Amino acid sequence: MKRAIYPGSFDPVTYGHLDIIRRSAPLVDELVIGVLNNNAKTPLFSVEERVKMLNEITRDMTNVIVVPFDGLLVEFAKKMDACMIVRGLRAITDFEYELQMAQTNHKLEPSVETVFLTTSLEYSYLSSTIVKEVAFYHGDISKFVPDVVRERIREKMNQKGECR
């Protein structure tokens, strides 16, 4: 079975992420969306909340599973018996960082390859950070994230008193 990992923090998941998921899932037998628990960042959503949202928006994709992880990506890939890591590229600035990470991962685990997909042009500007900033100022984020995610962002920001 050919299994790939699409890792990220997905805080929150955007249409750009969903674009990469939809385009990479048909390339493999199983696509594992690896939701990173990154202790270096303070996320808007818990890992459990991010996993739940991703499960909801990918439920129609029969070969996609969502799994939380922490630690080294290549260790997670080995644990999941994945042969490939999928990464999305928005701009040349992403490429420099992603190339460095791919080369490091390959040095750590030569059996795991990294595959880059360029984000569709309509999402090339989009990031989770931008979504959170627009939401913070009550901007319309409906073109950036699925409805279920939009609703959860509003709820979360209202709970935390972060909407202006």
Side-chain angles (χ1 to χ4, degrees):
M1 173 184 278
K2 189 180 295 183
R3 182 176 290 131
I5 307 278
Y6 176 43
S9 55
F10 304 104
D11 186 45
V13 61
T14 69
Y15 281 134
H17 295 126
L18 200 50
D19 172 55
I20 298 295
I21 293 167
R22 284 191 176 130
R23 290 173 42 221
S24 61
L27 303 176
V28 293
D29 298 314
E30 185 172 66
L31 179 66
V32 177
I33 302 172
V35 181
L36 177 62
N37 183 15
N38 187 346
N39 293 328
K41 292 183 179 181
T42 305
L44 180 61
F45 294 101
S46 70
V47 170
E48 295 78 19
E49 290 170 316
R50 289 178 271 153
V51 166
K52 184 177 179 182
M53 282 187 283
L54 279 157
N55 276 321
E56 287 179 47
I57 64 174
T58 62
R59 69 176 162 254
D60 63 325
M61 300 176 203
T62 57
N63 70 328
V64 173
I65 64 169
V66 183
V67 179
F69 80 100
D70 54 19
L72 290 175
L73 175 56
V74 291
E75 292 300 320
F76 178 60
K78 283 190 331 189
K79 177 181 170 191
M80 297 303 298
D81 195 30
C83 64
M84 187 184 324
I85 296 167
V86 175
R87 297 299 294 162
L89 297 175
R90 292 173 296 192
I92 193 70
T93 52
D94 286 347
F95 180 73
E96 290 181 31
Y97 172 77
E98 292 296 344
L99 178 63
Q100 184 179 21
M101 292 307 301
Q103 291 170 333
T104 302
N105 287 337
H106 189 70
K107 197 70 165 170
L108 292 171
E109 185 52 56
S111 67
V112 178
E113 293 291 343
T114 299
V115 175
F116 299 110
L117 291 179
T118 56
T119 304
S120 295
L121 189 57
E122 64 189 299
Y123 305 119
S124 62
Y125 65 91
L126 190 55
S127 71
S128 295
T129 301
I130 287 173
V131 170
K132 288 185 279 194
E133 187 168 338
V134 171
F136 182 80
Y137 291 104
H138 292 287
D140 179 10
I141 58 172
S142 62
K143 294 179 181 166
F144 306 151
V145 297
D147 289 343
V148 66
V149 176
R150 181 181 48 79
E151 292 167 14
R152 299 244 172 81
I153 291 170
R154 292 284 184 221
E155 289 169 9
K156 184 66 75 168
M157 287 192 164
N158 285 333
Q159 286 173 3
K160 290 185 171 190
E162 291 186 1
C163 280
R164 292 197 177 209

